[in-house]
Amino acid sequence: MRVFLRGICIGSIISSILWGTASPAPGAEPHERATRPPNVIVIFADDLGYGDLRCYRHPTIASPHLDRMAAEGVLCTQFYVAACVCTPSRAALLTGRLPIRNGMCSDKRRVLFPDSIGGLPHDEVTIAELLKTKGYACGCVGKWHLGHLPKFLPTEHGFDRYFGIPYSNDMKPAVLMRDTKVVEEPVDQTTLTKRYTDEAVSFIRQSHEQPFFLYFAHTFLHVPLFASDDFRETSRRGLYGDVVEELDWSVGRVLETVRELDIADNTLVFFTSDNGPWLIKNRDGGSAGLLRGGKGSTWEGGMREPAIAWWPGRIPAGRVTTAISSSLDLLATIAALADASLPDDRTLDSLDLSDVLFDNGSGPRQTMFYYRGRKLMAVRSGPWKAHFMTQAGYRQPRAESHDPPLLYHLEHDPSERHDLAKKHPEVIAEIRELVARHTAGVEAPDSQLELRATRQPAEKPGGAN
Amino acid sequence: MRVFLRGICIGSIISSILWGTASPAPGAEPHERATRPPNVIVIFADDLGYGDLRCYRHPTIASPHLDRMAAEGVLCTQFYVAACVCTPSRAALLTGRLPIRNGMCSDKRRVLFPDSIGGLPHDEVTIAELLKTKGYACGCVGKWHLGHLPKFLPTEHGFDRYFGIPYSNDMKPAVLMRDTKVVEEPVDQTTLTKRYTDEAVSFIRQSHEQPFFLYFAHTFLHVPLFASDDFRETSRRGLYGDVVEELDWSVGRVLETVRELDIADNTLVFFTSDNGPWLIKNRDGGSAGLLRGGKGSTWEGGMREPAIAWWPGRIPAGRVTTAISSSLDLLATIAALADASLPDDRTLDSLDLSDVLFDNGSGPRQTMFYYRGRKLMAVRSGPWKAHFMTQAGYRQPRAESHDPPLLYHLEHDPSERHDLAKKHPEVIAEIRELVARHTAGVEAPDSQLELRATRQPAEKPGGAN
């Protein structure tokens, strides 16, 4: 799935088309162009389900800002994250690589915990690091969860600034950090969305004179849920709805800031979430809509997410795309837009979505690999999905193996109800070949998630302990 | 739930507000006003699920015409039909009365069959009959299923014309009728949606010089599914998607006709379906989206439906309403618009939705009674729903009783997952009182659905036999 052709500057050709630039002046080098590469804002919710926004037709949640974002941009109906839980999903988004390749998954511990001493390896190249090579200001606001020790923090992975919590909000000690320092312990979670938003807006205002990249990863809807006074007990969906509606407000403030600064015509904003709804949390968990399963599982509800892309004037307004696409693809897409070179010494799982975003194309992606920890549970190829193993997200101790695999036609049967394995052995045969090729190409390093402090107390976030 | 206050001409007051009429000229009587009451088109799909349109976020079905209709009008997220199967749902829509009151339900036979000799009683007042008193041309196109003997056909219930099939398309003999005559046997179902649409367009063209009412009840998505050559194998959702997309095309043609005739500013179009998706039909059955259950059951998926209202200039564009509303309410709403008097000698279950449609209000409806046959299975009061009995739509021989009832907060938990009966006995107590009041007020006539021919062959549709 390598998308970079070494030596051919596809990026710059695409960029000149995309940015509507005139040809460079005679004799001018491409890098002397006046046109600036676009700003990029990725807004990443936590545990938000496929069915939890009004623009994805939740019956009672109001999300006017995300609805407007979708109406002005493109809404995706077959967009996947690369893992069904937090840490590996985040690692995949920032590196364009499956967690099995970057060490950010494990069968023993599904995410990083406060006693973890591992983190995103330094030889991984993040979107921020790519964009730094093109002079971007890079800010990270919100939940990190890719290593809380000093050497793994955002500022060690290409970000100029960081403000947020280092792991999930149900983990102790619950701290708020600025750059590499703890600034609040325990963090007041009721105002977290507001403060994150202020920080994001401030970063945009301070950075917009140069190209910037903002990675804005919200703490919520991860439980425990908190909404600020302005939102508590205001939605028709209870506390969960209050928190979604505050998240929606936050998106609105970001977009409004972009509009106010008059940079909307040169700013790509992408919204999605890290994994599906945490169903076992009862009414504090969200809804995967018509999809089966939720967070923690490799059923569609665990990994198919709401996703909206917005760039007025560049992304045609009001479309819904059924193209198969993934958070893995953000890296290649953004690199193409910024004319940044992708690393050519490793396998990337990232495909350039320009065709989907700008030209309403069906896109380059035909496959998705559904890992749970280090186990390849299921594979999508075109409309077909084969489950070699299934396991509920939580509370089912062991995976169930399937031979032949369960086979669903996702475009006819998005809820994964009707197993067609017996009817289509030829599809299963093709998928088995795909799996063999894929597996042969995977070099899996040791897991970072299994590294833990050998004595208590473990090192604290930021290394304060 | 009586909405008509005898002697007070609420309708005409509302009408003058709604139609934007100037005050009548001095001395003019209200009936001398130049302004015409609006045309009304009700488009009724069959077995379409809550999740089966793109504007309700099916991932792969394209419904551009219904999407546009929603974008120009209002889309409902808590709209109910009054029964979970065909015949009683249709009877309720046309009469504004629960099937338990009009005899169109039974515990023995859920719908009318070809050997039935009953039908919608003549003392019931249909929307068509109401509108006839105001000079409307009334046309019925499509599936009737309220009695196929001559005395029960649409032309005996207020419609000037009829073209369609008299009952479900899986029943024999499969005939197509015009007015009271069989014109094709067996009917060619592959072109049925096209021919219905031609008929509907023709009726609109011929009738638009006077106010008209068109009740356009599609045969599909009832199985067996058929699409015309233009749509077969064209959708990404398989045959079911082909049929939805042809239905969507049909809606587009109706709306385009209204636009072409320049009557859009005086025409209310309402789209919904008779009940939820027929889940046991595998991939030929639809999706209830995030709702539990489907056709035949009193879970939300059986009775909550997609619903879109359109009237450019009168209904503000681009809204989503969470108001609780019902197909039962079309009668009172339309009567108010047409300034027609509602019958005052019977209990109606119909409430005027003008507030919801035109003023983005929360509407007058707070309750829904979920009947299965003659049994009251569940009751919604505000956000709460209590299930006294539950039963799968099909293949579960007996209902399961619940005491205390299962209690769900539908606005927090639309998928009916988290029973709160133990936490909220006070809500159950209130709902029990509501049930007692309701039940005391119901006079249930003998069922029309239990009447059947005592010898074979039964009388054929139109009485030809």
Side-chain angles (χ1 to χ4, degrees):
Chain A
M1 274 194 266
R2 193 77 57 90
V3 296
F4 183 74
L5 300 178
R6 201 175 178 183
I8 306 178
C9 192
I10 292 179
S12 69
I13 297 168
I14 293 174
S15 302
S16 69
I17 297 166
L18 293 180
W19 307 337
T21 51
S23 302
E29 291 299 308
H31 66 267
E32 293 174 358
R33 273 197 219 103
T35 328
R36 272 191 8 198
N39 311 305
V40 176
I41 300 173
V42 173
I43 304 176
F44 208 38
D46 194 306
D47 293 355
L48 182 72
Y50 186 80
D52 279 325
L53 301 176
R54 185 164 61 189
C55 50
Y56 283 83
R57 284 300 166 261
H58 191 280
T60 51
I61 291 175
S63 52
H65 301 287
L66 284 156
D67 298 354
R68 178 176 170 190
M69 182 179 173
E72 295 175 355
V74 59
L75 179 149
C76 308
T77 66
Q78 302 204 75
F79 182 89
Y80 293 94
V81 288
C84 52
V85 290
C86 185
T87 296
S89 176
R90 285 155 205 271
L93 182 148
L94 283 176
T95 64
R97 280 157 49 89
L98 287 167
I100 191 72
R101 299 194 208 276
N102 60 31
M104 296 300 279
C105 59
S106 152
D107 291 333
K108 295 178 185 153
R109 310 189 94 191
R110 304 184 75 179
V111 297
L112 291 167
F113 287 89
D115 67 351
S116 294
I117 56 171
L120 186 65
H122 283 278
D123 55 2
E124 291 297 320
V125 179
T126 67
I127 296 174
E129 285 165 328
L130 274 188
L131 294 179
K132 283 314 285 179
T133 68
K134 306 303 285 189
Y136 276 62
C138 296
C140 176
V141 175
K143 174 172 169 179
W144 179 240
H145 216 176
L146 295 173
H148 53 271
L149 299 194
K151 61 181 170 181
F152 294 121
L153 288 171
T155 45
E156 298 296 316
H157 282 293
F159 292 98
D160 305 306
R161 301 163 49 162
Y162 173 54
F163 179 75
I165 67 168
Y167 36 60
S168 289
N169 63 331
D170 58 350
M171 296 175 176
K172 297 273 165 30
V175 302
L176 180 68
M177 305 185 72
R178 179 171 295 282
D179 300 329
T180 59
K181 302 293 177 208
V182 171
V183 294
E184 190 174 303
E185 179 181 355
V187 57
D188 175 6
Q189 296 199 42
T190 60
T191 56
L192 209 41
T193 296
K194 265 197 196 316
R195 288 189 286 166
Y196 282 175
T197 307
D198 288 343
E199 180 73 14
V201 166
S202 163
F203 172 77
I204 297 169
R205 289 193 182 283
Q206 288 167 24
S207 311
H208 78 281
E209 300 290 342
Q210 69 189 106
F212 68 83
F213 170 53
L214 169 63
Y215 172 60
F216 185 177
H218 282 271
T219 284
F220 304 115
L221 293 300
H222 199 290
V223 294
L225 299 175
F226 291 96
S228 70
D229 288 348
D230 291 347
F231 287 88
R232 204 163 44 242
E233 296 183 14
T234 62
S235 89
R236 290 182 70 171
R237 166 60 179 89
L239 178 57
Y240 188 90
D242 299 343
V243 179
V244 176
E245 295 184 10
E246 186 156 17
L247 169 69
D248 177 72
W249 162 85
S250 172
V251 172
R253 268 203 71 199
V254 168
L255 297 183
E256 196 51 39
T257 303
V258 169
R259 284 191 204 95
E260 276 172 24
L261 295 172
D262 202 19
I263 54 173
D265 63 351
N266 199 36
T267 303
L268 169 67
V269 184
F270 199 95
F271 174 88
T272 188
S273 178
D274 66 340
N275 48 246
W278 209 350
L279 299 177
I280 58 165
K281 297 296 175 182
N282 296 330
R283 287 185 295 160
D284 281 353
S287 167
L290 83 171
L291 304 178
R292 184 167 173 176
K295 176 176 177 173
S297 85
T298 48
W299 296 106
E300 291 295 288
M303 293 175 58
R304 197 192 295 197
E305 284 299 314
I308 303 168
W310 180 90
W311 183 352
R314 283 293 303 121
I315 294 178
R319 280 183 309 130
V320 173
T321 178
T322 58
I324 305 171
S325 49
S326 172
S327 58
L328 286 163
D329 301 328
L330 291 178
L331 180 116
T333 307
I334 292 167
L337 292 170
D339 192 16
S341 298
L342 290 169
D344 60 355
D345 60 349
R346 65 196 68 198
T347 303
L348 293 177
D349 301 294
S350 192
L351 299 169
D352 181 354
L353 298 179
S354 295
D355 169 53
V356 176
L357 298 181
F358 308 124
D359 300 322
N360 201 20
S362 57
R365 182 171 285 283
Q366 289 299 314
T367 58
M368 269 307 298
F369 297 95
Y370 302 69
Y371 279 88
R372 177 185 176 121
R374 295 164 79 91
K375 285 197 285 286
L376 181 60
M377 307 283 284
V379 174
R380 176 170 186 166
S381 174
W384 297 100
K385 179 177 177 184
H387 291 265
F388 297 94
M389 288 186 278
T390 52
Q391 186 173 1
Y394 297 87
R395 299 177 183 165
Q396 180 187 337
R398 267 176 230 293
E400 186 182 354
S401 292
H402 304 282
D403 189 6
L406 305 178
L407 184 69
Y408 299 99
H409 191 296
L410 291 181
E411 301 197 342
H412 293 185
D413 177 25
S415 305
E416 300 175 280
R417 281 203 196 100
H418 311 296
D419 178 15
L420 299 174
K422 282 185 190 154
K423 269 180 110 166
H424 292 286
E426 80 289 357
V427 173
I428 291 175
E430 280 172 30
I431 291 180
R432 284 194 201 278
E433 282 178 33
L434 180 64
V435 169
R437 285 197 303 276
H438 169 75
T439 307
V442 169
E443 289 172 37
D446 289 344
S447 172
Q448 291 287 323
L449 277 54
E450 292 167 19
L451 305 174
R452 55 206 292 185
T454 49
R455 52 181 185 190
Q456 292 297 327
E459 207 170 359
K460 283 175 72 173
N465 194 33
Chain B
M1 274 194 266
R2 192 77 57 89
V3 296
F4 182 75
L5 299 178
R6 201 174 178 182
I8 305 177
C9 192
I10 293 179
S12 69
I13 297 167
I14 294 174
S15 302
S16 69
I17 297 166
L18 293 181
W19 305 338
T21 52
S23 301
E29 291 299 309
H31 66 266
E32 292 174 358
R33 274 197 219 103
T35 328
R36 274 195 0 201
N39 310 304
V40 177
I41 300 173
V42 173
I43 304 177
F44 208 38
D46 193 307
D47 293 356
L48 182 72
Y50 186 79
D52 279 325
L53 300 176
R54 186 165 61 190
C55 51
Y56 283 83
R57 284 299 167 262
H58 191 280
T60 51
I61 291 175
S63 51
H65 300 288
L66 284 156
D67 298 354
R68 179 177 169 189
M69 183 179 172
E72 295 175 354
V74 59
L75 178 149
C76 309
T77 66
Q78 301 203 76
F79 182 89
Y80 293 95
V81 288
C84 51
V85 290
C86 186
T87 296
S89 175
R90 285 154 205 269
L93 182 148
L94 283 176
T95 64
R97 280 156 50 89
L98 287 167
I100 191 72
R101 299 195 208 274
N102 59 31
M104 296 301 279
C105 59
S106 153
D107 292 333
K108 295 178 185 154
R109 310 189 95 192
R110 303 185 76 179
V111 297
L112 290 168
F113 287 89
D115 68 350
S116 293
I117 56 172
L120 186 64
H122 283 278
D123 55 1
E124 290 298 320
V125 179
T126 67
I127 296 174
E129 285 166 329
L130 274 187
L131 294 179
K132 285 312 287 180
T133 68
K134 307 302 287 187
Y136 276 62
C138 296
C140 176
V141 175
K143 175 173 170 178
W144 179 240
H145 217 177
L146 295 174
H148 52 271
L149 299 193
K151 61 182 172 182
F152 294 121
L153 287 171
T155 44
E156 298 296 315
H157 281 293
F159 292 99
D160 305 306
R161 302 163 48 162
Y162 173 54
F163 179 75
I165 67 169
Y167 36 60
S168 289
N169 62 332
D170 58 351
M171 297 176 176
K172 298 272 162 38
V175 301
L176 180 66
M177 304 185 72
R178 180 171 293 284
D179 299 330
T180 59
K181 301 294 176 207
V182 170
V183 294
E184 191 174 303
E185 180 182 352
V187 58
D188 175 6
Q189 295 199 42
T190 60
T191 56
L192 209 41
T193 297
K194 266 198 196 315
R195 288 189 285 166
Y196 283 175
T197 307
D198 288 342
E199 181 73 14
V201 166
S202 162
F203 172 76
I204 296 168
R205 289 193 183 284
Q206 288 166 25
S207 310
H208 77 282
E209 300 290 343
Q210 70 190 102
F212 68 84
F213 170 53
L214 170 62
Y215 171 61
F216 185 178
H218 282 272
T219 283
F220 304 114
L221 292 305
H222 199 290
V223 295
L225 299 175
F226 291 95
S228 71
D229 289 347
D230 292 346
F231 288 89
R232 204 161 46 240
E233 297 183 13
T234 62
S235 89
R236 290 182 70 170
R237 166 61 178 89
L239 178 57
Y240 189 89
D242 300 341
V243 180
V244 175
E245 295 185 10
E246 186 156 16
L247 169 69
D248 177 70
W249 162 86
S250 172
V251 172
R253 268 204 72 199
V254 168
L255 297 183
E256 197 49 40
T257 303
V258 168
R259 285 190 203 96
E260 276 172 23
L261 295 172
D262 203 19
I263 54 174
D265 63 351
N266 199 36
T267 302
L268 169 66
V269 184
F270 199 95
F271 174 88
T272 188
S273 179
D274 65 340
N275 48 246
W278 208 351
L279 300 177
I280 58 164
K281 297 296 174 182
N282 296 331
R283 287 186 295 162
D284 281 353
S287 167
L290 82 171
L291 304 178
R292 183 167 174 177
K295 176 175 176 174
S297 85
T298 48
W299 295 105
E300 290 295 287
M303 293 175 59
R304 196 193 294 197
E305 284 299 314
I308 304 168
W310 181 90
W311 183 352
R314 283 293 305 121
I315 295 178
R319 280 184 307 130
V320 173
T321 179
T322 58
I324 305 170
S325 49
S326 171
S327 59
L328 286 163
D329 301 328
L330 291 177
L331 180 117
T333 307
I334 293 167
L337 292 170
D339 193 15
S341 298
L342 291 169
D344 60 353
D345 60 348
R346 65 196 69 199
T347 303
L348 292 177
D349 302 294
S350 192
L351 300 168
D352 181 353
L353 298 179
S354 297
D355 170 53
V356 175
L357 298 181
F358 308 123
D359 299 323
N360 202 18
S362 57
R365 181 172 286 283
Q366 290 299 314
T367 59
M368 269 307 299
F369 297 96
Y370 302 69
Y371 279 88
R372 177 184 176 123
R374 295 164 80 91
K375 285 198 285 284
L376 181 61
M377 307 282 285
V379 174
R380 175 170 187 167
S381 174
W384 296 99
K385 179 176 177 183
H387 290 266
F388 297 93
M389 287 185 279
T390 53
Q391 186 173 1
Y394 297 87
R395 300 177 183 166
Q396 181 188 338
R398 269 175 228 295
E400 186 182 354
S401 292
H402 304 282
D403 190 5
L406 306 177
L407 184 70
Y408 299 99
H409 190 296
L410 291 181
E411 300 195 343
H412 294 185
D413 178 24
S415 305
E416 300 176 280
R417 281 204 198 99
H418 310 297
D419 178 16
L420 300 174
K422 281 185 188 153
K423 269 181 112 165
H424 292 286
E426 80 290 357
V427 173
I428 292 176
E430 280 172 30
I431 291 181
R432 284 194 201 278
E433 282 177 34
L434 179 65
V435 169
R437 285 197 303 277
H438 168 76
T439 306
V442 169
E443 290 172 37
D446 288 344
S447 171
Q448 291 287 321
L449 277 54
E450 292 167 19
L451 305 174
R452 57 206 292 186
T454 50
R455 52 180 184 192
Q456 291 298 329
E459 206 168 2
K460 283 175 72 174
N465 193 35

